[in-house]
Amino acid sequence: MRYKISITDNFDKKVIKFLKKHPNLYSKFTKSMSLLADNPFHPSLRLHKLQGQLSEYHSVSIDLSYRMVIEFIIKENEIIPIDIGTHDEVY
């Protein structure tokens, strides 16, 4: 089953800014997005539910330093990326 990735304008702007700052992460970002659509439970994404103020969201890893916060709606097979950045920037 393939998941639908719904990119918001806000997230799109964050990605553009993020990739301008970190052009070396472009291939890792695109790989993470592809894996997310194919299998969000893939071990390399390290999908986990967040706690506290972000408890309605999940996080996936781009690499050891960078993460994406996502809204993971399993019922409708939809994933909505919310934020991208370092651990401290997104949490």
PDB file of all heavy atoms in Angstrom, residues 4-17:
ATOM      1  N   LYS A   4      -0.488   8.459   0.857  1.00  0.00           N
ATOM      2  CA  LYS A   4      -0.574   9.758   0.196  1.00  0.00           C
ATOM      3  C   LYS A   4       0.178  10.779   1.055  1.00  0.00           C
ATOM      4  O   LYS A   4      -0.097  10.912   2.246  1.00  0.00           O
ATOM      5  CB  LYS A   4      -2.035  10.174   0.048  1.00  0.00           C
ATOM      6  CG  LYS A   4      -2.204  11.541  -0.566  1.00  0.00           C
ATOM      7  CD  LYS A   4      -3.664  11.938  -0.601  1.00  0.00           C
ATOM      8  CE  LYS A   4      -3.759  13.366  -1.114  1.00  0.00           C
ATOM      9  NZ  LYS A   4      -5.074  13.920  -0.915  1.00  0.00           N
ATOM     10  N   ILE A   5       1.130  11.490   0.444  1.00  0.00           N
ATOM     11  CA  ILE A   5       1.856  12.550   1.136  1.00  0.00           C
ATOM     12  C   ILE A   5       1.228  13.876   0.717  1.00  0.00           C
ATOM     13  O   ILE A   5       1.253  14.234  -0.458  1.00  0.00           O
ATOM     14  CB  ILE A   5       3.359  12.557   0.762  1.00  0.00           C
ATOM     15  CG1 ILE A   5       3.996  11.183   0.970  1.00  0.00           C
ATOM     16  CG2 ILE A   5       4.092  13.649   1.519  1.00  0.00           C
ATOM     17  CD1 ILE A   5       4.192  10.775   2.389  1.00  0.00           C
ATOM     18  N   SER A   6       0.615  14.577   1.649  1.00  0.00           N
ATOM     19  CA  SER A   6      -0.047  15.854   1.369  1.00  0.00           C
ATOM     20  C   SER A   6       0.860  16.994   1.825  1.00  0.00           C
ATOM     21  O   SER A   6       0.984  17.254   3.019  1.00  0.00           O
ATOM     22  CB  SER A   6      -1.391  15.930   2.086  1.00  0.00           C
ATOM     23  OG  SER A   6      -2.245  14.904   1.633  1.00  0.00           O
ATOM     24  N   ILE A   7       1.484  17.660   0.861  1.00  0.00           N
ATOM     25  CA  ILE A   7       2.415  18.751   1.152  1.00  0.00           C
ATOM     26  C   ILE A   7       1.645  20.066   1.246  1.00  0.00           C
ATOM     27  O   ILE A   7       0.969  20.454   0.299  1.00  0.00           O
ATOM     28  CB  ILE A   7       3.495  18.873   0.059  1.00  0.00           C
ATOM     29  CG1 ILE A   7       4.228  17.550  -0.147  1.00  0.00           C
ATOM     30  CG2 ILE A   7       4.456  20.017   0.360  1.00  0.00           C
ATOM     31  CD1 ILE A   7       5.092  17.122   0.997  1.00  0.00           C
ATOM     32  N   THR A   8       1.753  20.728   2.376  1.00  0.00           N
ATOM     33  CA  THR A   8       1.117  22.033   2.550  1.00  0.00           C
ATOM     34  C   THR A   8       2.059  23.122   2.023  1.00  0.00           C
ATOM     35  O   THR A   8       3.263  22.904   1.891  1.00  0.00           O
ATOM     36  CB  THR A   8       0.816  22.315   4.030  1.00  0.00           C
ATOM     37  OG1 THR A   8       2.060  22.355   4.742  1.00  0.00           O
ATOM     38  CG2 THR A   8      -0.092  21.250   4.632  1.00  0.00           C
ATOM     39  N   ASP A   9       1.514  24.289   1.737  1.00  0.00           N
ATOM     40  CA  ASP A   9       2.347  25.417   1.303  1.00  0.00           C
ATOM     41  C   ASP A   9       3.372  25.776   2.364  1.00  0.00           C
ATOM     42  O   ASP A   9       4.522  26.087   2.063  1.00  0.00           O
ATOM     43  CB  ASP A   9       1.483  26.647   0.985  1.00  0.00           C
ATOM     44  CG  ASP A   9       0.684  26.476  -0.299  1.00  0.00           C
ATOM     45  OD1 ASP A   9       1.054  25.619  -1.128  1.00  0.00           O
ATOM     46  OD2 ASP A   9      -0.313  27.199  -0.465  1.00  0.00           O
ATOM     47  N   ASN A  10       2.958  25.726   3.621  1.00  0.00           N
ATOM     48  CA  ASN A  10       3.848  26.052   4.733  1.00  0.00           C
ATOM     49  C   ASN A  10       5.038  25.085   4.780  1.00  0.00           C
ATOM     50  O   ASN A  10       6.184  25.501   4.928  1.00  0.00           O
ATOM     51  CB  ASN A  10       3.069  26.031   6.047  1.00  0.00           C
ATOM     52  CG  ASN A  10       3.869  26.567   7.209  1.00  0.00           C
ATOM     53  OD1 ASN A  10       4.631  27.512   7.068  1.00  0.00           O
ATOM     54  ND2 ASN A  10       3.691  25.953   8.368  1.00  0.00           N
ATOM     55  N   PHE A  11       4.771  23.780   4.645  1.00  0.00           N
ATOM     56  CA  PHE A  11       5.853  22.805   4.669  1.00  0.00           C
ATOM     57  C   PHE A  11       6.747  22.965   3.447  1.00  0.00           C
ATOM     58  O   PHE A  11       7.970  22.863   3.539  1.00  0.00           O
ATOM     59  CB  PHE A  11       5.320  21.373   4.756  1.00  0.00           C
ATOM     60  CG  PHE A  11       6.413  20.334   4.836  1.00  0.00           C
ATOM     61  CD1 PHE A  11       7.146  20.182   6.004  1.00  0.00           C
ATOM     62  CD2 PHE A  11       6.722  19.550   3.746  1.00  0.00           C
ATOM     63  CE1 PHE A  11       8.167  19.247   6.082  1.00  0.00           C
ATOM     64  CE2 PHE A  11       7.739  18.608   3.815  1.00  0.00           C
ATOM     65  CZ  PHE A  11       8.458  18.453   4.990  1.00  0.00           C
ATOM     66  N   ASP A  12       6.142  23.226   2.301  1.00  0.00           N
ATOM     67  CA  ASP A  12       6.911  23.419   1.072  1.00  0.00           C
ATOM     68  C   ASP A  12       7.930  24.552   1.250  1.00  0.00           C
ATOM     69  O   ASP A  12       9.089  24.423   0.858  1.00  0.00           O
ATOM     70  CB  ASP A  12       5.958  23.713  -0.088  1.00  0.00           C
ATOM     71  CG  ASP A  12       6.633  23.589  -1.435  1.00  0.00           C
ATOM     72  OD1 ASP A  12       7.446  22.662  -1.617  1.00  0.00           O
ATOM     73  OD2 ASP A  12       6.355  24.420  -2.315  1.00  0.00           O
ATOM     74  N   LYS A  13       7.508  25.647   1.858  1.00  0.00           N
ATOM     75  CA  LYS A  13       8.414  26.775   2.115  1.00  0.00           C
ATOM     76  C   LYS A  13       9.536  26.365   3.069  1.00  0.00           C
ATOM     77  O   LYS A  13      10.690  26.758   2.885  1.00  0.00           O
ATOM     78  CB  LYS A  13       7.642  27.958   2.689  1.00  0.00           C
ATOM     79  CG  LYS A  13       6.731  28.621   1.683  1.00  0.00           C
ATOM     80  CD  LYS A  13       5.902  29.709   2.324  1.00  0.00           C
ATOM     81  CE  LYS A  13       4.885  30.243   1.329  1.00  0.00           C
ATOM     82  NZ  LYS A  13       3.962  31.191   1.930  1.00  0.00           N
ATOM     83  N   LYS A  14       9.194  25.564   4.093  1.00  0.00           N
ATOM     84  CA  LYS A  14      10.209  25.113   5.049  1.00  0.00           C
ATOM     85  C   LYS A  14      11.235  24.209   4.368  1.00  0.00           C
ATOM     86  O   LYS A  14      12.424  24.289   4.657  1.00  0.00           O
ATOM     87  CB  LYS A  14       9.549  24.380   6.214  1.00  0.00           C
ATOM     88  CG  LYS A  14       8.795  25.299   7.145  1.00  0.00           C
ATOM     89  CD  LYS A  14       8.151  24.543   8.273  1.00  0.00           C
ATOM     90  CE  LYS A  14       7.399  25.496   9.181  1.00  0.00           C
ATOM     91  NZ  LYS A  14       6.887  24.846  10.371  1.00  0.00           N
ATOM     92  N   VAL A  15      10.767  23.366   3.461  1.00  0.00           N
ATOM     93  CA  VAL A  15      11.674  22.462   2.748  1.00  0.00           C
ATOM     94  C   VAL A  15      12.625  23.254   1.854  1.00  0.00           C
ATOM     95  O   VAL A  15      13.829  22.978   1.827  1.00  0.00           O
ATOM     96  CB  VAL A  15      10.894  21.417   1.922  1.00  0.00           C
ATOM     97  CG1 VAL A  15      11.806  20.680   0.958  1.00  0.00           C
ATOM     98  CG2 VAL A  15      10.203  20.430   2.845  1.00  0.00           C
ATOM     99  N   ILE A  16      12.098  24.237   1.141  1.00  0.00           N
ATOM    100  CA  ILE A  16      12.940  25.066   0.270  1.00  0.00           C
ATOM    101  C   ILE A  16      14.027  25.746   1.093  1.00  0.00           C
ATOM    102  O   ILE A  16      15.208  25.717   0.737  1.00  0.00           O
ATOM    103  CB  ILE A  16      12.086  26.091  -0.508  1.00  0.00           C
ATOM    104  CG1 ILE A  16      11.229  25.354  -1.538  1.00  0.00           C
ATOM    105  CG2 ILE A  16      12.958  27.147  -1.176  1.00  0.00           C
ATOM    106  CD1 ILE A  16      10.134  26.195  -2.163  1.00  0.00           C
ATOM    107  N   LYS A  17      13.635  26.329   2.207  1.00  0.00           N
ATOM    108  CA  LYS A  17      14.598  27.002   3.088  1.00  0.00           C
ATOM    109  C   LYS A  17      15.615  25.999   3.653  1.00  0.00           C
ATOM    110  O   LYS A  17      16.820  26.260   3.690  1.00  0.00           O
ATOM    111  CB  LYS A  17      13.842  27.700   4.226  1.00  0.00           C
ATOM    112  CG  LYS A  17      14.710  28.512   5.141  1.00  0.00           C
ATOM    113  CD  LYS A  17      13.851  29.222   6.185  1.00  0.00           C
ATOM    114  CE  LYS A  17      14.708  30.003   7.159  1.00  0.00           C
ATOM    115  NZ  LYS A  17      13.903  30.683   8.174  1.00  0.00           N
TER     116      LYS A  17
END
